[in-house]
Amino acid sequence: MSENNSAVETSSHAEPVKVSVRNHTGVIELDRPRALNSLNPEMLDIIRQALSQWREDENVQQVLVHSRSPKAFCAGGDVRAARDGVLEERWGQVDEFFEKEYKLNGDIAEYPKPYISVIDGVVMGGGLGISAHGSHRIVTDKAFASMPEMAIGYITDVGVAYMAQRMIGTRGKSDPALAKFWGLSGYRMYAADMLWAGLATHVIESPQAFIDDVIAEGGPDPRKVDTSGVSYAAWVSVADVSASKVSGARRLHQECRLRVL
């Protein structure tokens, strides 16, 4: 891809993921609104191919992932499609789907450039797999997250069981007990919970303003993947979360202690 400041489109209008390069920013836009951006094999292939192309591309200094739907970032993997595959005994296709999904999660966890997810609305299961492993997890006050896999007889997958035991938020320490509680209960975290637990790194007011600002900035030094090394004007300090929102995080902490410890 040649260096310029205009959008370089690499996907067609009909695809469920729109990919472009804008001002040194690799942009991934989830666009399957009727399914709340539930991930299917086509979406996994598009995202993984884009990340692979940008990994060594000096023109791309950061990756920005967001949804075109105001209702959801990503509601998870396409469980219905997987279930249909099992019922129809298409075991190989189902196994391939999960293999692709988990490899993508690993690629994101080891990505050498800032990976910025803008989470506005619901994020569950596989949606956390394509966001939580990145360097920057940006939430709005409309964001909420859960891992409901236990409710359908599955496991806490997409690497979240590993990450949840190690994430450090505003409370300043990791907590395996919190990870256990979250995985077993499917507790719904809201913005303050996500910041307190470490699932989110920053909170913003306007997702579109933030997206525009990130692209206008054109990308930080790719060697600085720590949140302290990057500062965008649209970001709001985690210390600015209102007391009413913080109460949700305190409730999460209390429930964690009561049910797990």
Side-chain angles (χ1 to χ4, degrees):
M1 298 180 183
S2 59
E3 181 173 343
N4 57 66
N5 292 331
S6 62
V8 180
E9 296 292 341
T10 59
S11 58
S12 69
H13 177 73
E15 290 181 336
V17 179
K18 308 297 189 295
V19 176
S20 62
V21 175
R22 309 175 198 172
N23 195 25
H24 305 291
T25 303
V27 181
I28 297 174
E29 299 173 277
L30 307 177
D31 193 18
R32 195 186 176 205
R34 294 185 64 181
L36 299 179
N37 294 326
S38 294
L39 299 169
N40 60 23
E42 180 185 11
M43 297 172 75
L44 296 174
D45 288 340
I46 294 172
I47 296 171
R48 196 172 189 209
Q49 181 180 5
L51 293 179
S52 178
Q53 291 176 348
W54 295 338
R55 190 179 185 94
E56 304 297 333
D57 187 345
E58 295 182 357
N59 182 49
V60 178
Q61 297 180 1
Q62 61 185 359
V63 173
L64 176 67
V65 185
H66 69 94
S67 168
R68 287 192 170 189
S69 168
K71 295 182 179 180
F73 173 77
C74 176
D78 195 335
V79 177
R80 177 178 295 181
R83 177 181 181 276
D84 290 344
V86 170
L87 292 176
E88 296 169 9
E89 299 186 358
R90 292 184 279 109
W91 315 113
Q93 291 181 19
V94 176
D95 288 345
E96 183 181 13
F97 169 78
F98 284 107
E99 181 180 2
K100 286 182 177 181
E101 184 179 24
Y102 297 159
K103 283 183 177 179
L104 176 60
N105 302 151
D107 290 345
I108 294 169
E110 298 177 352
Y111 210 67
K113 300 177 181 180
Y115 183 98
I116 306 161
S117 301
V118 181
I119 302 171
D120 185 33
V122 59
V123 58
M124 296 190 297
L128 287 165
I130 62 169
S131 58
H133 299 295
S135 58
H136 301 74
R137 287 94 62 190
I138 317 300
V139 296
T140 72
D141 61 358
K142 296 179 182 178
F144 62 92
S146 69
M147 287 295 295
E149 278 73 8
M150 290 297 289
I152 61 173
Y154 196 46
I155 60 171
T156 305
D157 65 341
V158 296
V160 168
Y162 176 88
M163 180 199 173
Q165 298 179 65
R166 293 161 175 81
M167 56 192 186
I168 299 174
T170 56
R171 74 189 190 285
K173 63 178 181 179
S174 61
D175 189 351
L178 172 61
K180 181 185 290 186
F181 166 76
W182 192 36
L184 292 175
S185 69
Y187 182 94
R188 179 178 291 189
M189 289 194 194
Y190 292 92
D193 301 321
M194 295 166 74
L195 291 161
W196 177 80
L199 185 60
T201 58
H202 295 78
V203 61
I204 56 173
E205 294 182 0
S206 170
Q208 191 56 56
F210 174 77
I211 291 165
D212 294 342
D213 200 34
V214 169
I215 295 172
E217 290 280 346
D221 184 333
R223 294 170 296 179
K224 296 179 179 179
V225 297
D226 183 77
T227 56
S228 62
V230 184
S231 177
Y232 293 108
W235 286 15
V236 178
S237 168
V238 294
D240 294 334
V241 180
S242 68
S244 63
K245 293 177 182 176
V246 171
S247 65
R250 289 173 179 161
R251 183 178 66 254
L252 172 62
H253 177 59
Q254 292 169 353
E255 293 192 13
C256 173
R257 291 182 59 83
L258 287 173
R259 300 187 187 185
V260 180
L261 297 182

